[in-house]
Amino acid sequence: MEIGPIFRALIHQRSRFWLIVLEIALTLAVVANCLHMIRDQRARLLRPTGIDEENILAVISAPFAPEFEDKDYLRASYEEDLRILRSLPGVIAATAMHQLPLSDSGSSSGRLSDLPDAEELSVPFFDSGTDVLRTLGLELVAGRDFVESDFRPAGTNGTPESPEHFNVIVTQELADLFYPDGDALGRPVQDDEGAEVETIVGIVSRMHCSWPLSGLVERSMLRPVHPQKSHLTRYAVRAEPGMLDELHATAEARLFESNPGRILRVLTLKEIKGWAYGSVIATVRLLVGLSVLLVLVTSLGIIGLTSFSVNQRTHEIGTRRALGATRLAILRHFLVENWVVTSSGLALGVILTLLLNWALARFAGIPRIDWPVILFGMLTLWVVGLLAALAPAVRGTTVAPVVATRSV
């Protein structure tokens, strides 16, 4: 069966042909760009954080008892909490942190290196207790972990005349930003006033900061400061694989039994990460819903076009059957006709896809679309078009040859 006569016949049905071609083209343009953005957002959600997020539990202690205002009582409670958490079955390590990574809530400060003309960098930082690297599952690539002599009490402040000195651990990206030549280990960084001076004693390969959707995501600094607070203390607990659910059930009960003068909340780090990525997850769901809806509407349009074509050409089909055309030939005719319509729409749709992506890249910062995404969208619509046209086309094969004689 020749495509040329089919195409010329469709051209004569101008309104129906061009409407469905335009619908398919617009569907490809929107769906392909939606798929591209879904893939981009999903990649952000699944990128490695450097943290063993699958096995980490966060415990938040909010004291209300007046005894916690006493520094000695607060310190004793803090140490008892860590002792209890570290003694629970299935716990690898536990520490305290003033803020939790991936939580969308944290602290940052400006820091600069000692290089000439060094630019100040915005650095998210975490005050944390002992064993923080093992608790978070961070990979140390250079230098050392914190030792007890590194730790300072919380709330100490330096001045430019008498700066406060810390040993810190930073991520590889932050170390390279401070010292591009790769010699960051043992080098200092400081705030713009010189009131705090930190020496880099360790470098970890990766650790996402508190704001996973920001441009600072790969920059993190760990400072050895015990972060016990009279109003709120956060603990991170790393469990052995498969033990997180059991630990979730026992940690709160054991801590409350030790000291009931506070409100306790226990969450997994994946739950916390889900809240921080809430906008990403919502965007992906919206784009998936929009894509499915457009494909559904387009398939209904193809069904309608093929059904109308079958109904309008009943006499023609009967005549062809009377002249010896098989049911398979009738079915092939309508499927080829559908393929011509779909392919015409997809050819126009490729142009519209590139134009829409250009506009999104220029005005919304969306990355440029890849050809595999466009080809996947085209293949999807080809299959959808074929399946949508199949039922009306099969119905056309049931037209009996006798129909050709009814108007004679």
Side-chain angles (χ1 to χ4, degrees):
M1 182 169 298
E2 296 183 3
I3 296 178
I6 294 176
F7 187 79
R8 286 191 293 272
L10 288 171
I11 290 294
H12 289 301
Q13 305 170 14
R14 293 180 181 179
S15 58
R16 284 181 285 138
F17 173 72
W18 287 113
L19 280 175
I20 196 67
V21 164
L22 184 59
E23 182 180 8
I24 293 172
L26 291 173
T27 299
L28 176 63
V30 176
V31 169
N33 279 282
C34 283
L35 291 175
H36 176 59
M37 289 187 285
I38 289 170
R39 190 180 68 166
D40 180 61
Q41 295 295 329
R42 187 172 181 272
R44 296 178 73 187
L45 186 61
L46 298 179
R47 61 189 169 179
T49 62
I51 302 168
D52 185 15
E53 55 190 270
E54 298 286 341
N55 298 301
I56 292 179
L57 203 65
V59 180
I60 303 172
S61 172
F64 58 80
E67 293 84 358
F68 281 93
E69 297 298 331
D70 181 77
K71 291 184 179 181
D72 292 335
Y73 184 90
L74 177 63
R75 177 69 180 186
S77 175
Y78 168 82
E79 292 176 349
E80 178 66 8
D81 286 346
L82 287 175
R83 186 194 66 77
I84 291 172
L85 291 172
R86 289 166 179 168
S87 68
L88 293 175
V91 170
I92 296 175
T95 192
M97 304 185 72
H98 89 294
Q99 295 287 359
L100 295 166
L102 312 178
S103 65
D104 211 26
S105 175
S107 301
S108 67
S109 182
R111 291 291 185 273
L112 48 86
S113 68
D114 66 349
L115 295 177
D117 301 322
E119 294 185 5
E120 186 178 45
L121 301 176
S122 181
V123 178
F125 67 88
F126 300 88
D127 290 344
S128 59
T130 56
D131 219 11
V132 63
L133 296 191
R134 199 156 67 99
T135 301
L136 297 182
L138 304 178
E139 179 188 5
L140 188 68
V141 295
R144 63 171 177 84
D145 196 354
F146 292 134
V147 296
E148 192 60 42
S149 59
D150 292 326
F151 283 85
R152 300 286 186 272
T156 56
N157 297 308
T159 64
E161 294 75 22
S162 179
E164 183 71 20
H165 289 270
F166 290 93
N167 290 331
V168 296
I169 297 174
V170 300
T171 57
Q172 185 69 66
E173 178 170 308
L174 191 54
D176 293 340
L177 288 172
F178 280 132
Y179 295 100
D181 292 337
D183 56 349
L185 199 63
R187 301 289 293 275
V189 294
Q190 66 177 42
D191 62 359
D192 58 352
E193 296 180 352
E196 291 185 355
V197 179
E198 290 114 355
T199 301
I200 300 173
V201 298
I203 300 174
V204 295
S205 60
R206 173 177 282 114
M207 176 187 170
H208 281 192
C209 71
S210 295
W211 303 285
L213 300 181
S214 74
L216 310 177
V217 61
E218 296 284 353
R219 306 181 190 179
S220 288
M221 174 188 288
L222 293 166
R223 306 196 312 173
V225 178
H226 288 291
Q228 67 268 21
K229 303 287 185 180
S230 61
H231 63 283
L232 194 69
T233 301
R234 298 175 178 87
Y235 301 99
V237 186
R238 185 183 179 196
E240 296 174 359
M243 295 292 292
L244 194 65
D245 291 340
E246 181 178 338
L247 184 61
H248 194 293
T250 58
E252 182 177 0
R254 288 289 304 277
L255 289 177
F256 189 77
E257 180 183 343
S258 168
N259 193 328
R262 66 245 182 111
I263 298 172
L264 292 169
R265 191 178 186 189
V266 182
L267 303 164
T268 65
L269 191 59
K270 285 191 70 67
E271 288 178 302
I272 294 172
K273 179 183 178 180
W275 297 335
Y277 278 91
S279 60
V280 171
I281 296 171
T283 299
V284 169
R285 289 174 177 171
L286 178 63
L287 293 175
V288 169
L290 178 61
S291 300
V292 171
L293 180 62
L294 282 174
V295 171
L296 179 61
V297 170
T298 301
S299 65
L300 292 176
I302 294 172
I303 291 172
L305 177 66
T306 309
S307 297
F308 183 81
S309 180
V310 170
N311 293 334
Q312 289 290 100
R313 295 153 70 182
T314 302
H315 186 270
E316 176 188 334
I317 296 171
T319 302
R320 291 189 58 192
R321 289 296 310 281
L323 294 175
T326 64
R327 290 188 175 186
L328 181 61
I330 301 299
L331 178 65
R332 186 173 67 245
H333 175 92
F334 284 109
L335 292 183
V336 171
E337 184 177 88
N338 168 263
W339 181 85
V340 171
V341 172
T342 304
S343 298
S344 301
L346 294 178
L348 177 60
V350 170
I351 300 173
L352 295 182
T353 298
L354 296 174
L355 289 175
L356 178 59
N357 181 253
W358 174 83
L360 291 172
R362 180 170 183 179
F363 299 108
I366 302 299
R368 290 299 176 92
I369 195 168
D370 300 323
W371 275 104
V373 177
I374 299 177
L375 294 176
F376 178 78
M378 294 175 68
L379 179 61
T380 299
L381 288 176
W382 259 320
V383 173
V384 167
L386 177 64
L387 295 176
L390 190 58
V394 169
R395 184 163 52 83
T397 65
T398 63
V399 177
V402 71
V403 173
T405 64
R406 289 179 179 172
S407 61
V408 177

